[in-house]
Amino acid sequence: LRARRRWRAATMDQEMNVRAKMAKLKEQKRVADEINELLTRPGEDGLNESSRKTMKNLEVAVVVSKRPGFFEYYKPAPEVEAIQKNGEIQHLVKKLNRLGGEIAQLDAESQNIEAMRKPLKMSSGPELTSLAQWNARYGTVEKPVPSGFYSGFNDAPKIYGGTEHHRAFKTQSRTMKRGRLIR
């Protein structure tokens, strides 16, 4: 009975979590659309177009700078200047990142709830801690190792050189030498 209640409560929590996530996703889409609208407005009011014209104007100014006279720089529309001065894009990007963090938090909570809903799996038997227990349970290896063979493990001699900022260090790998056992 307790397990059923716990499962039902977890299901309700999961549903509320999904609704909250959907609301956050809609809010995130609204903010992203608002940023996109500010960047891609038609004409000279869009921030992308204003930036493109400014860059093009500066390239021309560099070319013309060798000549005598005055060069008039591009001035963005007053609305674009107001958006840049107020930092609306930065504010919206921070809001978008905050919403992304909240969505990630809801995802983590959803995974925790899902883990609570799943019943615990029973182990398939006693824990095996040694090779003798393994052999007793599953049997021994059918193909015996032939006598007269020997494998040795030696530390690898490789040393990675240091720099002014980092010390040199030896590798942690080991090499296996195969051979025959001589008596």
Side-chain angles (χ1 to χ4, degrees):
L1 186 61
R2 284 184 183 169
R4 182 177 285 166
R5 285 182 186 162
R6 195 175 95 194
W7 187 84
R8 192 175 298 147
T11 302
M12 291 176 64
D13 287 346
Q14 182 74 8
E15 290 173 6
M16 289 179 10
N17 200 339
V18 167
R19 284 191 204 110
K21 183 178 177 183
M22 292 303 292
K24 294 292 182 187
L25 286 170
K26 285 180 184 177
E27 177 71 12
Q28 189 180 36
K29 182 179 181 339
R30 187 191 63 74
V31 171
D33 288 344
E34 190 175 340
I35 291 172
N36 188 44
E37 194 271 325
L38 287 174
L39 292 173
T40 60
R41 284 184 182 165
E44 293 186 10
D45 291 339
L47 295 176
N48 285 347
E49 183 63 22
S50 175
S51 178
R52 187 189 69 78
K53 285 187 178 182
T54 301
M55 291 298 294
K56 190 173 181 179
N57 187 263
L58 289 174
E59 289 172 1
V60 171
V62 168
V63 171
V64 177
S65 67
K66 306 260 191 234
R67 300 180 193 159
F70 177 74
F71 183 78
E72 190 166 329
Y73 291 102
Y74 170 76
K75 292 193 181 358
E79 192 172 322
V80 172
E81 283 183 347
I83 291 171
Q84 290 173 344
K85 186 176 182 181
N86 294 339
E88 287 183 43
I89 293 291
Q90 289 86 352
H91 172 70
L92 290 172
V93 167
K94 285 181 184 177
K95 189 173 186 179
L96 197 64
N97 289 337
R98 182 180 50 81
L99 286 169
E102 290 173 4
I103 290 170
Q105 185 179 6
L106 287 172
D107 282 341
E109 289 175 10
S110 178
Q111 289 175 352
N112 288 342
I113 291 170
E114 194 64 35
M116 282 183 11
R117 286 178 60 186
K118 290 183 181 177
L120 296 175
K121 293 182 179 177
M122 295 295 176
S123 63
S124 60
E127 185 177 330
L128 302 175
T129 57
S130 70
L131 188 59
Q133 289 176 343
W134 174 271
N135 288 337
R137 183 167 185 160
Y138 297 108
T140 59
V141 179
E142 294 181 16
K143 184 178 176 185
V145 177
S147 62
F149 286 95
Y150 175 76
S151 296
F153 295 90
N154 299 328
D155 291 335
K158 176 75 175 159
I159 296 177
Y160 292 95
T163 64
E164 294 176 14
H165 306 290
H166 302 288
R167 294 183 9 217
F169 62 94
K170 290 181 71 172
T171 182
Q172 295 180 0
S173 66
R174 304 187 95 193
T175 56
M176 181 178 87
K177 302 287 186 199
R178 294 182 297 166
R180 293 199 177 266
L181 182 63
I182 300 174
R183 296 181 193 173

